[in-house]
Amino acid sequence: MYSPTPGRFLLRMRTPVSEEFAGGYPSDEEWHGYISNSDRVLLKTINFASPNSAGAVCIDPACTWVEQWVHRAGPREKIYFKPEEVKAAIVTCGGLCPGLNDVIRQVVITLEIYGVKSIVGIPFGYRGFSDSDLSEMPLSRKVVQNIHLSGGSLLGVSRGGPSVSDIVDRMQEKGINMLFVLGGNGTHAGANAIHEECRNRKLKVAVVGVPKTIDNDILLMDKTFGFDTAVEEAQRAINSAYIEAHSAYHGVGIVKLMGRDSGFIAMHASLASGQIDICLIPEVPFELHGPHGVLTHLKYLIETKGSAVVCVAEGAGQNLLQKTNAKDASGNIVLGDIGVHIQQETKKYFREIGVHADVKYIDPTYMIRACRANASDGILCAVLGQNAVHGAFAGYSGITVGICNNHYVYFPIPEVIAYPRPVDPNSRMWHRCLTSTGQPDFI
Ligand code: ATP
Ligand code: MG
């Protein structure tokens, strides 16, 4: 599995920042367990009988046996940077996600183990590079020791901010030659642009991302940090909605969960809870009204079970809402509130048909995003944080760390942010969810 393969390398590999890499000097010789640059991990391990079998999607339609590889993450025997010459900076951008502090902590601790003395945090995302009121925050093991015990980000987060060339100007002024970027697709687009700008200016700077998406919607990755915690925390909201609905006469509970483009949280939380009757995700269109609509099924559930619980992902059913064209500071489209819409339409529908219904709506988004990472995310964050530092020291730039087929790897940034990874409506997992809820098609 790890040996170099004569097969095709379809993904563009990022090379070490300089050819001098080959002449790098060895680190502590007592440190065993190094990863070689030729250790690679297979991206897809399924041998497809046909591209359509079992809902599996072949990345390369021409392949039956897919040979796509990425570099295995981990410490290299030879390192590119001299630790005493490194000034490392960490920045967290976008929205909050459980585990940000865990990653910051591991990056700092690992940098110190390499012998780096100069480590700083950039406050409030990319904005921290431009705002003269915001000064960089010195980081050390002592500062970060206990930060993982609470949610949020020690450094703060933001959207919007300066241009890429301004960011690189500031990096040059401050002498930053290692940048660790924690964020989602927007942040990674920024990180890739910073990497390109550094290459254009011939700066020996390593830009390494750690993908932060609570939605678990990054291409090619088994799982991103924060997702497990989100699914676990969502259980509380679903259980409360269930108890409210179950305890009321003709109770209907509606829970809106995160998932702008992909319904992984809603699907997994519905499956885990076993208390959801209707799960609605962005990838599967549905109608509210009409003989096959959600509301008709809710009426059926009220008549047969006495109560019902709906779980809806925030990006679901956007076609049912009025478009506002509003955008946030980073240029992302502001979504309409599908949870509130379903709540209002449900109340109206039962009023109109003269059936009593007690509708309760719960939106736990901010409670989930702000909470502390659970044990499994804590471990994932630790490995990702450490591997980000190993990648930078190995001399890679324009990469992001992740887990693929249970192996920790370095991905080239552009390949993983091309578009959000969706739930496949033909996948076994979505069908398992449908089996669990017992819901029909709503079209
Ligand atoms: P989340 O998933 O929480 O939304 P995100 O990383 O996608 O995280 P954004 O607010 O979209 O969050 O972007 C974060 C930062 O990245 C912002 O400061 C934004 O200005 C910058 N950014 C977004 N897209 C790009 C891009 N294409 N090029 C350069 N910078 C970008
Ligand atoms: Mg985003």
Side-chain angles (χ1 to χ4, degrees), residues 31-266:
W31 190 1
H32 301 297
Y34 296 115
I35 303 290
S36 156
N37 273 344
S38 51
D39 285 356
R40 295 188 166 93
V41 171
L42 190 62
L43 278 177
K44 280 272 177 189
T45 51
I46 303 169
N47 194 0
F48 301 103
S50 83
N52 298 323
S53 63
V57 177
C58 179
I59 299 172
D60 176 1
C63 280
T64 50
W65 175 243
V66 182
E67 293 167 351
Q68 291 177 303
W69 303 81
V70 277
H71 284 280
R72 197 171 164 217
R76 272 34 180 186
E77 189 171 9
K78 288 183 177 176
I79 52 177
Y80 174 69
F81 288 95
K82 290 184 178 164
E84 60 275 18
E85 290 175 1
V86 169
K87 178 169 180 185
I90 309 171
V91 64
T92 55
C93 314
L96 286 184
C97 176
L100 280 169
N101 278 338
D102 300 61
V103 178
I104 295 169
R105 179 176 181 272
Q106 286 296 333
V107 169
V108 172
I109 287 173
T110 313
L111 283 166
E112 279 201 352
I113 286 177
Y114 269 91
V116 178
K117 297 278 185 291
S118 182
I119 311 169
V120 297
I122 305 298
F124 299 105
Y126 288 139
R127 280 179 193 277
F129 280 111
S130 63
D131 200 327
S132 50
D133 293 342
L134 301 172
S135 48
E136 55 188 32
M137 183 190 294
L139 297 174
S140 63
R141 179 185 275 266
K142 201 169 165 206
V143 174
V144 300
Q145 189 60 40
N146 292 320
I147 60 171
H148 62 302
L149 301 180
S150 67
S153 165
L154 172 76
L155 308 175
V157 290
S158 74
R159 298 192 190 275
S163 69
V164 167
S165 97
D166 286 350
I167 292 174
V168 178
D169 286 349
R170 288 306 292 272
M171 286 172 64
Q172 271 188 282
E173 274 167 37
K174 290 166 182 273
I176 294 168
N177 53 4
M178 251 187 214
L179 179 65
F180 298 95
V181 181
L182 283 55
N185 53 346
T187 307
H188 273 71
N192 196 54
I194 294 169
H195 157 80
E196 300 286 358
E197 181 68 16
C198 289
R199 292 291 83 77
N200 288 342
R201 298 189 192 185
K202 305 211 179 325
L203 302 175
K204 290 183 180 175
V205 173
V207 183
V208 176
V210 182
K212 173 230 65 168
T213 160
I214 202 165
D215 295 349
N216 202 27
D217 59 353
I218 299 263
L219 288 172
L220 304 174
M221 297 196 188
D222 296 353
K223 194 170 74 170
T224 49
F225 75 83
F227 174 69
D228 242 29
T229 309
V231 171
E232 193 172 306
E233 285 297 314
Q235 303 304 300
R236 294 176 204 269
I238 290 175
N239 194 243
S240 302
Y242 176 81
I243 289 170
E244 285 285 350
H246 206 61
S247 308
Y249 176 61
H250 285 183
V252 177
I254 300 165
V255 181
K256 185 179 80 171
L257 295 176
M258 295 79 73
R260 284 180 63 88
D261 301 292
S262 308
F264 286 103
I265 293 180

Side-chain angles (χ1 to χ4, degrees), residues 240-241 244-245 247-248 251-255 343 347 358-362:
S240 302
E244 285 285 350
S247 308
V252 177
I254 300 165
V255 181
Q343 178 198 25
K347 284 183 177 172
D358 194 344
V359 184
K360 307 262 171 49
Y361 172 52
I362 298 178

Side-chain angles (χ1 to χ4, degrees), residues 287-310:
E287 284 168 4
L288 281 181
H289 300 276
H292 301 295
V294 170
L295 297 172
T296 307
H297 189 58
L298 272 180
K299 177 170 167 275
Y300 165 77
L301 291 168
I302 291 288
E303 285 167 357
T304 53
K305 286 179 62 183
S307 64
V309 187
V310 180

